[in-house]
Amino acid sequence: MTKKNQNTNSDKDLNVAISELREIAQWFESQEEVDVELGLLKIKQGAVLIKECRARLKNLENSFEEVRKELDAEE
């Protein structure tokens, strides 16, 4: 897999994770009374997704930084 494809897949994964986080938030908003055990599972899922998103965003930030350095080197 090329570097470009890896970044595209990472972006897609990021979008999927964000969508899943929205679904979790909507689930909480739609509950009149939250089942505590199910709520805890949703919170744990959300925490995992947030950690994954942070890691993906850091990778994207590093990729942007590499591109900026390449452009600065060409000047």
Side-chain angles (χ1 to χ4, degrees):
M1 185 180 292
T2 66
K3 193 173 192 177
K4 182 178 180 182
N5 289 340
Q6 287 173 344
N7 288 342
T8 302
N9 288 339
S10 177
D11 293 345
K12 187 182 293 184
D13 292 342
L14 180 62
N15 290 331
V16 169
I18 290 171
S19 177
E20 290 176 12
L21 283 168
R22 284 189 181 124
E23 288 175 14
I24 291 170
Q26 289 172 350
W27 180 85
F28 275 102
E29 291 171 359
S30 71
Q31 303 299 304
E32 286 186 28
E33 290 186 34
V34 175
D35 177 307
V36 175
E37 291 182 11
L38 185 53
L40 179 59
L41 287 175
K42 298 271 186 190
I43 288 172
K44 287 181 178 181
Q45 290 172 344
V48 168
L49 290 167
I50 289 168
K51 288 178 186 177
E52 290 174 359
C53 287
R54 284 180 178 164
R56 289 186 187 116
L57 287 168
K58 186 65 178 171
N59 286 338
L60 289 170
E61 181 181 6
N62 291 340
S63 295
F64 278 112
E65 187 63 26
E66 287 177 23
V67 171
R68 188 190 63 78
K69 285 179 183 177
E70 289 174 13
L71 290 174
D72 286 349
E74 290 177 2
E75 290 181 357

